[in-house]
Amino acid sequence: MNKIAWIGLGQMGVPMARNLAKHGYPVTVYNRTPKSVDMTPCQVADSLHMAVDHADVVFLMLSDGAAVEHVVFGESGAIHALSQGALIVNMSTVGVDETKQFALRAAEHQVEWMDAPVSGSVGPAEAGTLVVLAGGSESAFHRVKPLLATMAKSVHHLGPVGSGAAMKLLVNGMLAATVAAASECMALAEKSGLGRERFLDVLSETGMWSPILAGKRPLWLDDEYHPSFALKHMTKDLALLSRFAVQYSAALPGMTTALTTYLGAQAQDLGDADMAAVFQHLCALAGAEL
Ligand code: NAP
């Protein structure tokens, strides 16, 4: 690899790009909004085109499909500066249908596409212990597997383009439902006088406890929701999961309820807070005072 471009320096992009560069890969990073964060040992490009020019592989870690569309296929998008034979690895969570469309459009420019979204939040991104869920050709996977391994404890090749996106949406459906279910019961614990702390203490001794609940516990106890995973991103993922289910005429009643719950929280201005803030919305619905 002569040059690797990394586009998107949000909560996840910063630690993931750093891990790649720390393993000796020649990484050039770019973010739409200049960042004051130290990205050593990465090179920092002043423009998108400078970042992707002559890159063998371009990683994307952006908010959503609209951001990917704009960055890659927009008027001055990356596709216009990429060399033939380059590979785009989209690690952002976007839809299965969007992913397949992106791959077809990239192929028109002789650029290959791979979806490689991740499970795990900022902590695992910093520790290099994410779970990568990849979709794409065998040859593309073979080409980038060592790069993905610098960020992850496991790297799964799940099938053709779109397979990684599909698995990611299923996994996040579980995450959404788990956090919403705990929040709903905690809201009633508050209202009925048992209290959220005692509820979490008891839950932590049962089989229902999990690392995700342990991670969210301090946020719930302090009512401070600095985002590791913004609630608006979870709403987006549930909407994408619904769209995926529609393609298969598969009813997902629990996931549909979860989408309504997170949308309600977003309507209460909680979109930029951590997803655990869905608890505040459920307290309001339950009439529980915080
Ligand atoms: P984030 O902190 O909100 O960062 C989003 C990034 O996208 C920023 O670099 C932002 O640039 C860029 N961006 C958004 N719109 C853009 C546009 N139109 N043009 C160019 N750049 C644009 O998000 P994140 O938490 O890192 O998550 C990134 C992706 O990973 C999302 O798809 C999310 O669902 C997924 N994910 C997140 C987590 C997590 O725990 N956070 C875990 C797994 C997967 P600016 O700085 O200029 O706004």
Side-chain angles (χ1 to χ4, degrees), residues 23 65 178 234:
H23 282 76
T178 302
M234 180 49 90

Side-chain angles (χ1 to χ4, degrees), residues 8-13 31-33 35 61-64 66-67 70-71 91-93 118-122 168 228-230 232-233 236-237:
L9 297 174
Q11 298 282 349
M12 298 293 282
N31 197 58
R32 173 182 63 175
T33 312
K35 289 255 163 173
M61 196 49 169
L62 301 164
S63 313
D64 53 21
H70 177 74
V71 164
M91 304 194 77
S92 337
T93 307
V118 296
S119 183
S121 194
V122 177
K168 168 64 187 171
S228 295
F229 182 39
K232 64 184 175 194
H233 291 326
K236 167 208 36 134
D237 293 354

Side-chain angles (χ1 to χ4, degrees), residues 59-135:
F59 285 95
L60 307 174
M61 196 49 169
L62 301 164
S63 313
D64 53 21
V68 171
E69 157 87 34
H70 177 74
V71 164
V72 180
F73 301 106
E75 207 173 314
S76 27
I79 203 82
H80 305 296
L82 273 174
S83 315
Q84 289 188 2
L87 171 65
I88 294 177
V89 181
N90 179 32
M91 304 194 77
S92 337
T93 307
V94 307
V96 179
D97 46 357
E98 287 172 311
T99 296
K100 291 178 182 170
Q101 282 300 319
F102 290 147
L104 288 174
R105 289 169 71 185
E108 289 169 11
H109 298 263
Q110 280 73 51
V111 169
E112 193 168 356
W113 194 275
M114 165 161 268
D115 44 317
V118 296
S119 183
S121 194
V122 177
E126 287 171 348
T129 56
L130 293 165
V131 176
V132 176
L133 307 167

Side-chain angles (χ1 to χ4, degrees), residues 16-27 39-42 150:
M16 290 165 77
R18 272 205 197 114
N19 277 337
L20 189 54
K22 275 186 198 153
H23 282 76
Y25 289 104
V27 183
M39 286 307 296
T40 314
C42 304
T150 66

Side-chain angles (χ1 to χ4, degrees), residues 64-245:
D64 53 21
V68 171
E69 157 87 34
H70 177 74
V71 164
V72 180
F73 301 106
E75 207 173 314
S76 27
I79 203 82
H80 305 296
L82 273 174
S83 315
Q84 289 188 2
L87 171 65
I88 294 177
V89 181
N90 179 32
M91 304 194 77
S92 337
T93 307
V94 307
V96 179
D97 46 357
E98 287 172 311
T99 296
K100 291 178 182 170
Q101 282 300 319
F102 290 147
L104 288 174
R105 289 169 71 185
E108 289 169 11
H109 298 263
Q110 280 73 51
V111 169
E112 193 168 356
W113 194 275
M114 165 161 268
D115 44 317
V118 296
S119 183
S121 194
V122 177
E126 287 171 348
T129 56
L130 293 165
V131 176
V132 176
L133 307 167
S137 71
E138 283 290 346
S139 59
F141 182 69
H142 183 71
R143 200 164 149 196
V144 293
K145 192 178 174 195
L147 281 64
L148 296 171
T150 66
M151 311 166 209
K153 65 178 177 188
S154 58
V155 181
H156 298 271
H157 185 209
L158 296 155
V161 163
S163 312
M167 185 63 84
K168 168 64 187 171
L169 296 179
L170 295 174
V171 169
N172 264 26
M174 274 295 298
L175 170 61
T178 302
V179 169
S183 297
E184 203 169 302
C185 293
M186 228 170 13
L188 182 54
E190 281 289 292
K191 189 167 190 184
S192 63
L194 285 168
R196 72 187 97 167
E197 185 161 14
R198 235 190 296 169
F199 170 72
L200 288 170
D201 284 347
V202 171
L203 197 66
S204 72
E205 292 173 359
T206 71
M208 279 81 74
W209 198 239
S210 63
I212 189 68
L213 296 179
K216 299 303 181 196
R217 187 178 193 276
L219 284 72
W220 284 323
L221 292 186
D222 297 343
D223 253 327
E224 289 285 341
Y225 299 100
H226 178 75
S228 295
F229 182 39
L231 190 141
K232 64 184 175 194
H233 291 326
M234 180 49 90
T235 310
K236 167 208 36 134
D237 293 354
L238 287 166
L240 294 173
L241 179 60
S242 287
R243 221 161 72 198
F244 178 46

